[in-house]
Amino acid sequence: SSELTQENAVSVALGQTVRITCQGDSLRAYFANWYQQKPGQPPVSVIYGRNNRPSGIPDRFSGSISGNTASLTITGAQAEDEADYYCTSRDNSVNLLLFGGGTKLTVL
Amino acid sequence: QVQLQESGTGLLKPSETLSLTCSVSGGSMRTYYWTWIRQPPGKGLEWIGSISHTGNTNYNPSLKSRVTISVDTSKNQFSLRLTSVTAADTAVYYCARDYPFYYDNSGYYGYFDFWGQGTLVTVSS
């Protein structure tokens, strides 16, 4: 089916490592992108493709894909990383771009 | 630095047509794809559709019957038209640049590298 499933909410202690996952059949063959969104702001890309960081994104953000699951890992989470995170994937067989439902990350 | 700015009517009545324009500054529209995304209040993101600088379009199947996206590269603008709106279309509408970073036989893969600030469109009688 064409959908991407994420955890609703995840929490992490300051300075610890957290992984947010995104599951979907379209991820078996395609790339996943990750976006960070803070309240009242547009999303910002943090990971694209297999594991690429746009300019200005700290290297504590990394991405990976295994089977039908993509993961965003934040190594040494900071207070400013508290936000909603969305995965996306493109299913070119049906010309469809999918968004995951989003994960609210809380940094304790 | 590329900048995008949405403009258009913010308050509509049910059955009316939503029309938004995204103005692009600081760069050319060529080479890239241009996208509309929306976010209902308190909810997640939804892809509406994309257009290339040459006018090739892809739409979300769930909205396809009501959506038209067009581009005017001479004005550095692209536009969204959504007909027969209902309260379910109330959302913040974002425009974004879709940067293609990989191509294969099935098409391209891109990511949204620049976004507008978003504009709230409310549908209410």
Side-chain angles (χ1 to χ4, degrees):
Chain A
S1 64
S2 295
E3 61 180 31
L4 299 176
T5 302
Q6 299 181 235
E7 303 94 344
N8 287 332
V10 172
S11 62
V12 61
L14 184 67
Q16 296 303 301
T17 296
V18 62
R19 186 173 69 178
I20 298 170
T21 64
C22 172
Q23 213 167 11
D25 287 342
S26 66
L27 291 170
R28 292 188 186 279
Y30 305 118
F31 302 116
N33 300 332
W34 290 92
Y35 298 89
Q36 175 194 72
Q37 186 180 33
K38 297 181 180 179
Q41 298 182 21
V44 171
S45 174
V46 292
I47 291 290
Y48 70 92
R50 297 212 182 275
N51 183 18
N52 302 293
R53 281 176 289 105
S55 175
I57 300 302
D59 61 5
R60 63 179 179 271
F61 289 89
S62 63
S64 63
I65 295 181
S66 177
N68 71 338
T69 301
S71 299
L72 172 70
T73 300
I74 307 174
T75 303
Q78 302 300 302
E80 61 264 32
D81 299 335
E82 187 163 287
D84 294 327
Y85 290 85
Y86 294 90
C87 63
T88 73
S89 180
R90 187 181 300 274
D91 187 342
N92 280 344
S93 66
V94 291
N95 290 324
L96 176 64
L97 188 142
L98 299 166
F99 276 100
T103 298
K104 182 177 182 59
L105 176 67
T106 300
V107 180
L108 303 172
Chain B
Q1 178 80 341
V2 174
Q3 292 186 321
L4 291 82
Q5 179 66 58
E6 303 91 348
S7 60
T9 306
L11 180 61
L12 295 170
K13 290 180 167 47
S15 80
E16 292 184 335
T17 295
L18 179 157
S19 292
L20 296 175
T21 295
C22 183
S23 299
V24 180
S25 60
S28 170
M29 296 191 74
R30 297 187 180 277
T31 307
Y32 303 101
Y33 295 79
W34 303 91
T35 294
W36 288 98
I37 294 159
R38 70 181 183 178
Q39 185 171 36
K43 296 188 178 180
L45 300 164
E46 181 182 32
W47 174 70
I48 299 172
S50 301
I51 190 166
S52 71
H53 70 282
T54 58
N56 293 323
T57 54
N58 283 317
Y59 299 132
N60 188 321
S62 69
L63 298 169
K64 190 172 185 176
S65 64
R66 298 193 292 131
V67 171
T68 302
I69 297 176
S70 58
V71 65
D72 186 341
T73 55
S74 68
K75 294 183 178 179
N76 261 29
Q77 293 178 339
F78 64 107
S79 299
L80 169 69
R81 189 169 177 268
L82 181 67
T83 62
S84 304
V85 297
T86 69
D89 295 310
T90 293
V92 174
Y93 285 75
Y94 294 102
C95 59
R97 190 177 82 169
D98 191 359
Y99 178 92
F101 60 85
Y102 183 81
Y103 292 88
D104 67 13
N105 291 338
S106 67
Y108 80 94
Y109 300 91
Y111 77 103
F112 306 127
D113 60 347
F114 291 100
W115 296 66
Q117 285 299 307
T119 187
L120 175 63
V121 176
T122 302
V123 180
S124 174
S125 55

